Amino acid sequence: MAQSALRGLCSRAQSFRLFVVPQRCHSLSRPLFKKEDVEVTFIKASGEAIKTKGKEGDSLLDVVVNNNIDLDGFGACEGTLTCSTCHLIFKQNDFDELPEKPTDEELDMLDLAYELTETSRLGCQINLSKKLNGLEVKVPSTINDARSS
Amino acid sequence: MIRYCSLSIQRSVRTFMTSSTQSQVAKLCIVGGGPAAFYTAQHIIKTFPECEIDILERLPVPFGLVRFGVAPDHPEVKNVINTFTKTAKSPQVRFAGNVNFGIDLSLQELKEAYHAVILTYGAEEDKTFGIPGENLKNIISAREFVGWYNGLPRDKDLNVDLSDENVVILGQGNVAVDAARMLLSPLDELRKTDITEHALATLADSKVKTVYLVGRRGPMQVAFTIKELREMINLKDCSSIFEKEHFQGIPELIPNLVRPRKRLTELLVKSALETNPKPSSKTFRPLFLRSPLSFTGDSKVTGVEFDLNTLQGEEFEHQTAISTGVKESIKSGLVLRSIGYRSVCADPGIPFDKQKGRVINTKGRVDHGVYSAGWLSTGPVGVILSTMSNAFETGANVVDDIRQDIINLNEKKPGLRAILSKLDARGVQTVSFDGWEKIDQEETKRGKALGKPREKIVNIGEMLQIAESGKKLTAKG
């Protein structure tokens, strides 16, 4: 009873975490509901590294959207598996460690991505876990050389 | 009334002008209001915020092929509209619909009013075969068919006769597959989409059982993408039947292919060699190595006469179809032609390649102060990602040219004000983005009553009326 009341209070507090002192809430309720931060670094085609954070369970597309990360045209279909604009390139080790293999539908979309590699995935299909903390992913350049003719 | 509407767009010009250094603002005009337009604008306002971008669209409503091309059962693809809306609402951008470039305004007039003009008006003309019988009734271009079910005003009265069991679609690209899927999908699936009511009513009486998707080359040259193929294979109450003989030797090629051709071919081979087709009332039948010679019928088409082909050449990408001299007829009461589009030259001042049907350009640069993006630039190929990156490239080149003074911002340009007064004088009623949002609300409301996400208004007069209704002066056009 007391626990659930506390939980309600804390989750409400969490949603306004900019305006309350978060530490107290954090330490008291962490085992019950607190999702841990997971650190992610996006490396842009220019070489610029953007270090940011998401919560466990967030997709990499969520991380980009929630943190307002400036990636041109990223996530055009908003995570509905109908485009390939959230294409990300993983390091081989990280790629191998991803818990879920891509579905046919994800691979179908990746087929249309530029700079496709053996370790490419769609960001909207990758959910963060503690294990992925410190993940580094490469963002292919969207401005492709006009090869189509 | 006309003047009133333009004034609300004008007011937004002034609002923005006062907040920026007047002489250094880049006044840019984008002709066409589809994905290429919005992606170009998005890129420019991000990399060169000191700009005013006016998007002039022929129809009263924005978004081009995202609204009128994307199939109604692919609503997720239309999510890009959210980003386009954000761009349209940014302080630098104004939308003016119902402006017919080449008729209401010339390229010269736009060049005089703006520092740069970016042409993105797409590809709207169908390629034809030029063979006997092509003018028979019920031989329709797939583009018109798509326009008809998607509510494109000019195709609203298209007469589609679905009284015959067989349909031949000529062409093997994604538009052809979309058309096939619309003809073969269970009606209940389509009812939930924003397909027009007139198309739904016609499809409800459809007698179509078999749709042939005919290409002049083989399975290695199909132009559709794997997602569209997988959808056909998984379609409810429809089986896909391939000609096995055309797959001889193809499984052996797979290991040496690269993506995406590799996975597409794997799926084709797997489906083609499937021995137990599911029981179903409808059939999807891709046919290969056939070129149409003529269409038969008295007034309405009853069939297609084909020449059977063989492939010549080593690498499959460059193989060409040559006639074997053997002929074959297929009975069909409806023929959809889907062999590509070309752009039209909307203004004599545009350097235009008539052969290829597109604007002559180098990475979006057409002429001094004139640019192009999207299908007008590249030809009608690729998915939304291709248009996006092409538009970003054009946007980047416009900004480069501004930074290098190739586009001279010290030159005084009147921008939208001059254009709107011209349009007023010519009796053209423009539609602002606010006006579109009224149309949008009305369409959503009508759709809700029918259990659909939207019922598109297909009459331009009605769109204009709704856009004008209850008009109040707003700061942002």
Side-chain angles (χ1 to χ4, degrees):
Chain A
M1 189 65 182
Q3 264 187 357
S4 71
L6 181 65
R7 199 155 147 189
L9 190 73
C10 283
S11 58
R12 210 170 310 133
Q14 200 203 14
S15 61
F16 294 104
R17 63 181 180 275
L18 288 172
F19 309 102
V20 299
V21 182
Q23 285 83 355
R24 184 170 178 78
C25 183
H26 181 86
S27 61
L28 278 175
S29 54
R30 188 176 135 177
L32 291 173
F33 80 98
K34 176 75 174 149
K35 285 182 178 169
E36 291 210 23
D37 283 346
V38 180
E39 236 179 59
V40 183
T41 305
F42 293 91
I43 315 273
K44 288 171 80 165
S46 61
E48 182 195 345
I50 304 167
K51 205 167 183 175
T52 185
K53 273 180 203 165
K55 297 264 174 234
E56 276 179 83
D58 284 356
S59 74
L60 285 174
L61 174 61
D62 294 333
V63 176
V64 170
V65 173
N66 295 344
N67 293 293
N68 266 322
I69 293 175
D70 178 23
L71 301 175
D72 250 352
F74 198 84
C77 80
E78 306 183 351
T80 55
L81 264 187
T82 49
C83 76
S84 54
T85 57
C86 64
H87 172 205
L88 295 170
I89 299 167
F90 290 73
K91 288 181 183 161
Q92 186 71 53
N93 288 351
D94 295 330
F95 182 84
D96 295 339
E97 294 273 308
L98 293 173
E100 276 154 40
K101 298 290 150 221
T103 59
D104 284 340
E105 286 71 20
E106 183 185 343
L107 291 170
D108 290 354
M109 285 298 124
L110 276 169
D111 272 356
L112 304 177
Y114 294 136
E115 298 172 43
L116 184 67
T117 70
E118 288 298 316
T119 59
S120 288
R121 291 292 300 264
L122 292 181
C124 67
Q125 300 301 304
I126 307 298
N127 293 325
L128 292 181
S129 62
K130 265 191 287 184
K131 224 175 150 185
L132 289 176
N133 193 35
L135 180 71
E136 221 179 79
V137 286
K138 218 176 105 190
V139 187
S141 65
T142 40
I143 304 177
N144 202 45
D145 294 330
R147 278 173 301 187
S148 53
S149 59
Chain B
M1 214 46 181
I2 291 157
R3 186 161 292 273
Y4 205 48
C5 178
S6 299
L7 275 173
S8 82
I9 301 179
Q10 268 191 23
R11 173 162 294 207
S12 66
V13 181
R14 289 193 207 101
T15 315
F16 183 70
M17 287 294 291
T18 50
S19 61
S20 41
T21 326
Q22 292 204 11
S23 62
Q24 290 304 319
V25 170
K27 294 188 176 177
L28 309 171
C29 175
I30 298 180
V31 177
F38 284 98
Y39 279 130
T40 305
Q42 178 185 329
H43 198 270
I44 295 175
I45 56 178
K46 192 183 129 191
T47 50
F48 197 85
E50 306 79 19
C51 64
E52 286 174 21
I53 303 179
D54 303 327
I55 297 176
L56 308 181
E57 160 63 43
R58 181 168 60 180
L59 288 163
V61 295
F63 311 137
L65 282 183
V66 174
R67 175 178 162 105
F68 294 114
V70 172
D73 59 343
H74 288 168
E76 305 85 3
V77 179
K78 302 185 196 196
N79 281 346
V80 292
I81 285 176
N82 298 332
T83 307
F84 298 164
T85 300
K86 226 170 107 188
T87 299
K89 291 187 169 198
S90 58
Q92 294 100 325
V93 176
R94 283 162 309 258
F95 172 83
N98 199 38
V99 178
N100 206 337
F101 172 69
I103 293 174
D104 299 333
L105 289 166
S106 71
L107 179 61
Q108 189 53 39
E109 287 173 311
L110 293 180
K111 280 164 83 172
E112 282 161 16
Y114 293 95
H115 290 115
V117 180
I118 304 149
L119 304 170
T120 71
Y121 61 77
E124 59 176 294
E125 199 175 76
D126 311 289
K127 290 186 181 162
T128 56
F129 288 104
I131 56 173
E134 206 163 348
N135 294 322
L136 287 169
K137 241 190 268 172
N138 234 23
I139 298 177
I140 299 171
S141 82
R143 190 210 56 73
E144 286 173 306
F145 183 69
V146 170
W148 172 73
Y149 66 64
N150 271 336
L152 188 64
R154 78 178 207 192
D155 296 321
K156 66 179 191 301
D157 299 318
L158 188 74
N159 196 0
V160 183
D161 180 342
L162 302 178
S163 60
D164 195 85
E165 287 190 6
N166 293 337
V167 176
V168 164
I169 300 179
L170 298 166
Q172 292 184 323
N174 279 342
V175 176
V177 179
D178 275 355
R181 200 175 64 253
M182 285 300 118
L183 290 165
L184 293 168
S185 285
L187 202 65
D188 285 341
E189 301 290 317
L190 296 179
R191 279 190 213 282
K192 295 178 253 173
T193 73
D194 68 0
I195 187 171
T196 50
E197 277 300 295
H198 59 245
L200 210 48
T202 305
L203 285 166
D205 292 331
S206 168
K207 301 282 182 289
V208 174
K209 287 212 162 96
T210 302
V211 174
Y212 297 96
L213 198 84
V214 190
R216 69 195 153 90
R217 297 193 285 169
M220 293 300 295
Q221 286 89 21
V222 295
F224 50 71
T225 48
I226 188 166
K227 177 194 181 222
E228 278 68 21
L229 173 64
R230 199 183 296 283
E231 269 180 303
M232 286 312 303
I233 290 166
N234 294 334
L235 200 62
K236 262 191 217 163
D237 195 28
C238 178
S239 46
S240 298
I241 298 176
F242 293 82
E243 301 171 287
K244 291 189 176 58
E245 62 271 30
H246 289 147
F247 285 82
Q248 272 174 20
I250 290 182
E252 291 76 19
L253 295 177
I254 292 175
N256 294 321
L257 297 174
V258 289
R259 284 168 78 176
R261 183 61 64 181
K262 183 176 190 163
R263 293 185 67 250
L264 176 61
T265 307
E266 274 171 352
L267 184 61
L268 270 171
V269 166
K270 184 171 165 264
S271 325
L273 305 182
E274 186 85 49
T275 41
N276 296 317
K278 57 184 180 188
S280 63
S281 55
K282 291 181 179 174
T283 314
F284 173 58
R285 297 205 56 178
L287 300 179
F288 301 101
L289 296 168
R290 288 166 172 90
S291 296
L293 285 171
S294 63
F295 301 99
T296 51
D298 290 330
S299 64
K300 192 187 147 213
V301 67
T302 54
V304 188
E305 180 97 344
F306 287 99
D307 206 347
L308 300 191
N309 297 328
T310 182
L311 291 175
Q312 197 175 48
E314 281 303 308
E315 292 159 68
F316 71 88
E317 298 98 325
H318 304 298
Q319 285 178 324
T320 50
I322 50 163
S323 165
T324 60
V326 182
K327 295 185 180 20
E328 182 198 70
S329 301
I330 295 177
K331 282 198 173 125
S332 169
L334 168 65
V335 174
L336 299 178
R337 186 181 48 216
S338 183
I339 50 169
Y341 310 121
R342 51 175 73 239
S343 296
V344 295
C345 182
D347 186 289
I350 300 171
F352 198 81
D353 182 338
K354 278 198 177 132
Q355 200 73 36
K356 288 181 175 158
R358 63 190 193 212
V359 163
I360 299 168
N361 72 96
T362 311
K363 297 189 171 186
R365 289 185 175 97
V366 177
D367 201 352
H368 186 256
V370 183
Y371 300 79
S372 65
W375 280 6
L376 179 64
S377 223
T378 62
V381 287
V383 291
I384 193 109
L385 172 68
S386 346
T387 295
M388 182 178 90
S389 61
N390 175 268
F392 284 172
E393 182 181 53
T394 296
N397 287 338
V398 172
V399 171
D400 272 359
D401 288 356
I402 294 173
R403 294 231 160 92
Q404 292 177 24
D405 283 335
I406 295 168
I407 297 173
N408 181 5
L409 297 188
N410 291 322
E411 226 174 287
K412 281 257 178 285
K413 294 288 185 183
L416 190 61
R417 246 175 283 175
I419 291 305
L420 289 178
S421 71
K422 281 203 167 94
L423 290 170
D424 275 353
R426 290 166 197 176
V428 178
Q429 177 188 331
T430 55
V431 177
S432 65
F433 205 76
D434 282 348
W436 148 246
E437 291 195 313
K438 280 188 203 136
I439 298 171
D440 183 33
Q441 278 164 17
E442 178 61 26
E443 288 186 343
T444 315
K445 197 175 105 192
R446 291 183 192 185
K448 206 171 173 189
L450 296 161
K452 303 158 79 173
R454 121 179 7 254
E455 181 61 34
K456 287 179 189 163
I457 294 165
V458 296
N459 188 300
I460 289 182
E462 199 182 350
M463 287 177 178
L464 294 178
Q465 213 177 358
I466 293 166
E468 283 292 288
S469 62
K471 190 145 194 69
K472 52 178 190 288
L473 282 174
T474 50
K476 179 69 179 72

